[in-house]
Amino acid sequence: MININNFLPKNMEKRGKISLNENIKIINNILEQRTIPEEGISEEHIQFLLRILSFMDTDKDPNVIQIGEREARVLTRIQKESVFNFCHGVGRSGNLIDPQPKAPGASIMYKLTNQILESFLKKLGLKVKAIATPIATGMSIGLALSAARKRYKVDSVIYPYAAHKSPIKATSFIGLRMRLVETVLDGDKVYVPVEDIEKAIDKEKNPVVLSTLTFFPPRESDNIVEISKICEEKDIPHIINAAYALQNFYYIEKLKKSLKYRVDAIISSSDKNLFTPIGGGIIYTKNEEFLKEISLSYPGRASANPIANILISLLYLGFKNYINLMKTQKKCKKILDDGLNEIAKKKGEKVLNVENPISSAITVKNPIDVAGKLYNLRITGPRGVNRKDKFGTCYLGEYPYDYLVVNAAIGVKEEDILRVLEKLNEII
Ligand SMILES: *Cc1c(COP(=O)(O)O)cnc(C)c1O
């Protein structure tokens, strides 16, 4: 493709071509296999790939004649670099995943991302179709709800109560009515009985169920397998908020089982699972038609940045490394639980008996104070919740304890767990 002939002695020229070809081969392997590599590739190679693709977009054609109102006329290099030179973004106004005529390179980049994403999910055990979305989890849930309204004519959202504002706002954002199904208290656990969800379904004319898989204790995961069965029996669409589910097999197994029944879309966060900056989502399902409807529901074009960020993470991580990170997460959660139990014993507190593979909660006096002190010690993440805080506890009655939630999510360092335990031991 490029002429480097006759600058050098033949043997040197040949040597140079070997190196160059080896590097091009790494890029070509990705483009040929279209799966997550077992071993991640380097940042230089990822940059090289993105650069090659972005050179295919029409705004990079040095002889282009531009007379449209939108010609990716970007002022500075700072701005160009912020989107990896995919200045035309992704999608067409009518369909998010359709190729964009002005941006062949960005269109390939998006397709490649989705295919690699699917291969990643498949390796985790989820045989699904997937799209990366240029919006975070809450808005991606909104997009899926909007598609459900269009395709299934739903007019209400059944929401087993979980105290996260994003899904609640997503529902009001697209203008659907929400029917909350209240949580109940069972020992330390707060959960929503499946029978109550079933009753709520029977009271609505055309509902969609929005269930929650990942949450903080004391709220346990919704029983998504049973909900999926009920939705299958009653022919009701079902969307699962699985914000940070991809990092732990406890959640993945539940998703796998649910996918045998009625699941129209599962939504996960790109930043919580894949180490991207905040701004992207992942939507996956076996229901290909519905995935298409979701793509059709997105209004307009989108920034290529969140999509490229997902691609970069998948290529850089590689599957093996991701599995290792999952193992470390699991190990750190064990260290966290052991440490919290020790502290609880010493201080006359207790660790809440709630099943959760990522987060743990310990009872404390003055939880808001404790969280504040930890924040001032430059510890981010712990969440202090007062028993009377109906939103925090996810329980509409009074919860029996004040408590503090601490997380061992993917990417957490063992030393950070140990240090937070040490500080907690001093503070409470
Ligand atoms: C993180 C999270 C969300 C919302 O995420 P955004 O990406 O900020 O929209 C929604 N629900 C749950 C359970 C979450 O953990």
Side-chain angles (χ1 to χ4, degrees), residues 135-141 159 162 164-167 212-216 241-244 269-272 278-280:
I135 42 180
T137 320
M139 284 301 277
S140 293
I141 290 171
Y159 187 53
H164 203 292
K165 289 194 176 110
S166 305
T212 305
L213 179 59
T214 54
F215 216 80
F216 301 118
N241 177 5
Y244 45 99
S269 159
S270 69
D271 59 271
K272 287 180 189 167
I278 286 163

Side-chain angles (χ1 to χ4, degrees), residues 18-64:
I18 288 172
S19 288
L20 181 60
N21 279 335
E22 284 298 308
N23 284 296
I24 291 174
K25 207 161 95 187
I26 291 172
I27 306 299
N28 236 339
N29 275 343
I30 299 294
L31 288 168
E32 267 166 22
Q33 286 166 15
R34 304 175 190 186
T35 55
I36 183 169
E38 205 48 39
E39 306 278 352
I41 67 171
S42 74
E43 291 187 52
E44 285 83 358
H45 291 114
I46 294 170
Q47 214 154 28
F48 189 31
L49 170 65
L50 294 177
R51 200 71 225 205
I52 292 170
L53 292 175
S54 70
F55 270 137
M56 293 170 67
D57 287 356
T58 55
D59 59 309
K60 309 300 181 314
D61 174 0
N63 294 315
V64 71

Side-chain angles (χ1 to χ4, degrees), residues 296-316:
L296 286 167
S297 300
Y298 188 92
R301 274 202 234 173
S303 167
N305 171 295
I307 310 299
N309 265 298
I310 291 173
L311 178 62
I312 292 165
S313 278
L314 291 168
L315 291 178
Y316 186 76

